[in-house]
Amino acid sequence: MKKVLFILTVLFALNSYSQKKKVAVVGFYTDKTIDLSDLGLNSLAAIADLGNNPSFNLSPILDKYHNAFFNVYSKQFPFDLIPENEVIQKQEYIDFSPKYAKDEVGEKTIINYPGYKYIYEGTAGQANEVGTATIFKEIADGVLFTEIHFTLVKGFAVGGTGTVKMKAYARISLYDKTGKKVFVINEGASSKKTGVIVGGIPVLTPEKVLPMCESALDELLKDLDQKISKIIKKSAANF
């Protein structure tokens, strides 16, 4: 009898040990502001005004990243993700007022995946990281934020005329249930499609920029397909 009880105790302990931790994804968005700093032209973003142009629609691109993140990459994580509806429908999450919330102008450039709030994380973002972790501490071991953003990078140019490429970045940030950072991952990939730069100024119309964004995301997803499992497991080793 004692032997049976001992075996059951060991099995219970092993089962408890082997259970994966649970993580709540609390931020999922992209930004319509294209970074032009590599070209030294960040002030041009206001002139291009892509953020306020309804034709510049990044929602399908965000949808593609969302599908890959939850249906492909999450299966390789060393932790489980809490179902989205349990996160975005939680009243405390809905009522949460994040620090550094976007004003009316800024909100036009942010595209959240449906149901998610824009919640800044990163430098000086501790209030949001701790705040969201506190909301889910009873059901999750941590919270995760992810976003994709885009930047134009120099291609081949002579005398101010030539090509540019788009680079897509994915940021994946994990914090434990106290709001302490576990890891931050930034992966980027450049588009195969190119744009045109004339007189040192890139052509920034939705018709030219969107295909480059789509191409850059496709290349980024290919890279993540190969790397994500190894990167996440190594980064979350102490989680």
Side-chain angles (χ1 to χ4, degrees), residues 36 41 54 60-61 70 79 89 106 132 141 151 161 183 200 204 239:
L36 304 176
L41 298 170
I61 290 175
F70 278 93
F79 47 79
Q89 293 178 14
T132 52
D141 299 289
T151 181
T161 300
F183 66 71
L204 294 174
F239 177 53

Side-chain angles (χ1 to χ4, degrees), residues 170-188:
R171 178 180 172 93
I172 303 172
S173 310
L174 178 66
Y175 296 82
D176 67 18
K177 64 170 55 183
T178 69
K180 181 181 178 181
K181 181 171 67 179
V182 178
F183 66 71
V184 175
I185 296 168
N186 284 291
E187 283 291 313

Side-chain angles (χ1 to χ4, degrees), residues 195-216:
V196 178
I197 186 168
V198 180
I201 305 298
V203 178
L204 294 174
T205 63
E207 294 75 20
K208 296 294 184 181
V209 176
L210 269 176
M212 287 194 291
C213 289
E214 293 168 358
S215 175

Side-chain angles (χ1 to χ4, degrees), residues 20-211:
K20 286 185 178 180
K21 291 189 174 182
K22 296 184 182 297
V23 169
V25 178
V26 295
F28 207 110
Y29 75 95
T30 188
D31 193 334
K32 293 173 70 176
T33 301
I34 304 298
D35 182 4
L36 304 176
S37 58
D38 189 64
L39 307 178
L41 298 170
N42 256 352
S43 61
L44 192 66
I47 300 173
D49 205 21
L50 289 172
N52 291 311
N53 192 327
S55 297
F56 186 54
N57 182 14
L58 290 177
S59 292
I61 290 175
L62 184 63
D63 289 347
K64 180 180 282 191
Y65 176 59
H66 179 272
N67 180 65
F69 187 89
F70 278 93
N71 296 327
V72 180
Y73 307 142
S74 69
K75 311 302 181 186
Q76 304 175 52
F77 295 169
F79 47 79
D80 290 327
L81 298 182
I82 292 175
E84 279 187 290
N85 64 322
E86 293 183 24
V87 175
I88 62 179
Q89 293 178 14
K90 190 174 179 63
Q91 194 60 49
E92 291 90 339
Y93 177 77
I94 295 172
D95 295 339
F96 182 65
S97 296
K99 191 174 183 181
Y100 306 121
K102 292 286 186 179
D103 57 20
E104 185 175 344
V105 175
E107 284 178 353
K108 292 180 180 179
T109 69
I110 296 293
I111 301 178
N112 292 300
Y113 190 81
Y116 285 96
K117 301 168 72 81
Y118 171 75
I119 304 174
Y120 170 80
E121 67 81 24
T123 305
Q126 186 179 32
N128 293 337
E129 297 145 11
V130 173
T132 52
T134 300
I135 290 172
F136 295 98
K137 67 179 181 180
E138 299 301 326
I139 60 173
D141 299 289
V143 291
L144 185 147
F145 303 77
T146 188
E147 66 184 85
I148 50 173
H149 51 276
F150 299 91
T151 181
L152 273 181
V153 293
K154 297 175 183 177
F156 176 78
V158 177
T161 300
T163 62
V164 289
K165 286 188 174 185
M166 188 68 70
K167 194 163 188 176
Y169 288 93
R171 178 180 172 93
I172 303 172
S173 310
L174 178 66
Y175 296 82
D176 67 18
K177 64 170 55 183
T178 69
K180 181 181 178 181
K181 181 171 67 179
V182 178
F183 66 71
V184 175
I185 296 168
N186 284 291
E187 283 291 313
S190 295
S191 63
K192 286 187 175 181
K193 291 188 176 182
T194 59
V196 178
I197 186 168
V198 180
I201 305 298
V203 178
L204 294 174
T205 63
E207 294 75 20
K208 296 294 184 181
V209 176
L210 269 176

Side-chain angles (χ1 to χ4, degrees), residues 1-33:
M1 183 64 178
K2 289 183 179 180
K3 186 176 181 180
V4 173
L5 289 173
F6 174 76
I7 293 173
L8 290 174
T9 301
V10 171
L11 290 175
F12 177 79
L14 289 174
N15 182 62
S16 299
Y17 180 78
S18 64
Q19 285 181 345
K20 286 185 178 180
K21 291 189 174 182
K22 296 184 182 297
V23 169
V25 178
V26 295
F28 207 110
Y29 75 95
T30 188
D31 193 334
K32 293 173 70 176
T33 301

